[in-house]
């Protein structure tokens, strides 16, 4: 029996609830494929500030470095908004990304036919949407020094080296090769030197990928294209801050931010987390959509552990549940039965086990 170590970091807000459902999926995968997952939990974010005074305590650092993969819920708690930077939950997440060097953040946006009506976009615009955002994750404004506040002024530094651009662009080109072979590189090269370097570097690398069609586009245009013609985008690669903004915009296509998974990859263990964040207003009410976290388990299996077939089985189970009308409140149409977080998680877990779930809301 193969055994894998997954460091589980539930974090804040709805993080623990959706991670609870992700765990049920891992249990189901273990049973069906005769695998073993060691899934010990460690604190991160506001939860870690409360128990250890540090948003990424040493015990968590040690555990993630030794794990095969990291499964993260969400971090963020408005109660700590006024705290100094070293006690803010987001600082723990950024430190985790830096510690593991996970420079390439993959955010796939696939649409489920059953949910076309939940997106604010017209269904005809959504047909054929299947895109992947590759966001640079360990550089740019998030990490640039110097940064700070002096008197009435505040400043941040936007800095990229050609090597940082090249390694994430390579991930974009390689992903495109396995898909529709189109790469859209997003920058602001009409204004920013970092973007000029970005564009030159990506253009140079394109010579290694003659089978991929490369197109450059400014970030403002990209924001427009994501909603006006999203089906024409295959892989979109961009720097950290642009990628943060565009990936939330792209989530609207899927009907709910609660649906989307992400994988952050470097040369060591990857970090796998749903895109939705801690959503404090939904926490503790059994209303959060667990599908983002469950789809994240699929990415963890595929990219983190190299288990392609179990990953596909989890994705099929999500699609089947949606086809049968299983919904949380955020994706329910008029007249559709609404399930709680745990009910939908359990339903999908039963499908992964190839058992007939109870209470099919047909
Ligand atoms: C995300 C989040 C984080 C980010 C925050 C919580 C620091 O918005 O993963 O997209 O900006 O990277
Ligand atoms: Mn974000």
């Amino acid at each position: 029996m193969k055994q894998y170590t997954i460091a589980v970091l539930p974090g804040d807000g709805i993080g623990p609830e959706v991670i609870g459902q992700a765990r049920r999926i891992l249990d189901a995968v273990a049973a069906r494929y005769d695998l073993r997952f060691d899934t010990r939990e460690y604190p991160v974010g506001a939860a870690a500030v409360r128990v250890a005074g540090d948003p990424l305590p040493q015990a968590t650092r040690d555990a993630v470095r030794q794990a095969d993969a990291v499964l993260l819920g969400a971090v963020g708690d408005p109660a700590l908004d006024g705290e100094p930077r070293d006690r803010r939950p987001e600082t723990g997440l950024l430190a985790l990304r830096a510690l593991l060097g996970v420079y390439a953040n993959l955010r796939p946006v696939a649409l489920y036919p059953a949910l076309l009506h939940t997106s604010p976009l017209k269904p005809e615009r959504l047909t054929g949407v299947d895109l992947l955002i590759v966001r640079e994750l360990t550089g740019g404004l998030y990490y640039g020094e110097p940064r700070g506040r002096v008197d009435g002024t505040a400043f941040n530094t936007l800095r990229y080296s050609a090597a940082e651009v090249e390694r994430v662009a390579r991930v974009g080109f390689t992903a495109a090769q396995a898909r529709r072979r189109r790469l859209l590189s997003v920058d602001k090269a009409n204004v920013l030197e970092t973007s000029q370097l970005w564009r030159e570097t990506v253009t140079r690398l394109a010579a290694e990928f003659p089978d991929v069609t490369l197109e450059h586009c400014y970030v403002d245009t990209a924001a427009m294209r994501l909603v006006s013609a999203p089906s024409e985008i295959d892989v979109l690669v961009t720097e950290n801050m642009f990628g943060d903004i565009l990936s939330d915009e792209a989530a609207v296509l899927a009907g709910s931010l609660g649906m989307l998974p992400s994988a952050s990859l470097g040369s060591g263990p990857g970090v796998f987390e749903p895109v939705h964040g801690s959503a404090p207003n939904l926490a503790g009410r059994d209303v959060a959509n667990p599908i983002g976290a469950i789809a994240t388990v699929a990415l963890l299996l595929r990219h983190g552990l190299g288990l392609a077939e179990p990953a596909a089985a989890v994705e099929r189970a999500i699609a089947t549940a949606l086809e049968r009308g299983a919904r949380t409140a955020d994706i329910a149409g008029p007249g559709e039965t609404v399930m709680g977080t745990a009910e939908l998680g359990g339903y999908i877990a039963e499908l992964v086990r190839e058992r007939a779930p109870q209470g099919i809301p047909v």
Side-chain angles (χ1 to χ4, degrees), residues 98 107 120 173 218 333 359:
R107 297 188 166 185
F173 277 110
Y218 298 137

Side-chain angles (χ1 to χ4, degrees), residues 30 44 55 75 120 122 127 151 159 165 180 185 191 196 203 251 260-261 268 285 297 325 340-341 346 360:
V44 71
V75 302
K122 297 193 188 80
T127 311
D151 303 327
R159 181 191 304 274
V165 177
R180 304 202 303 278
S185 175
V191 178
Q196 289 153 11
T203 304
L260 296 187
R285 294 168 41 204
V297 168
T341 308
I360 298 173

Side-chain angles (χ1 to χ4, degrees), residues 186-189 217-224 238 242-243 245-246 249:
V186 173
D187 62 40
K188 191 70 183 172
C217 143
Y218 298 137
V219 63
D220 45 356
T221 310
M224 201 172 58
T238 193
F242 295 162
I245 298 167
L246 294 180
E249 187 193 0

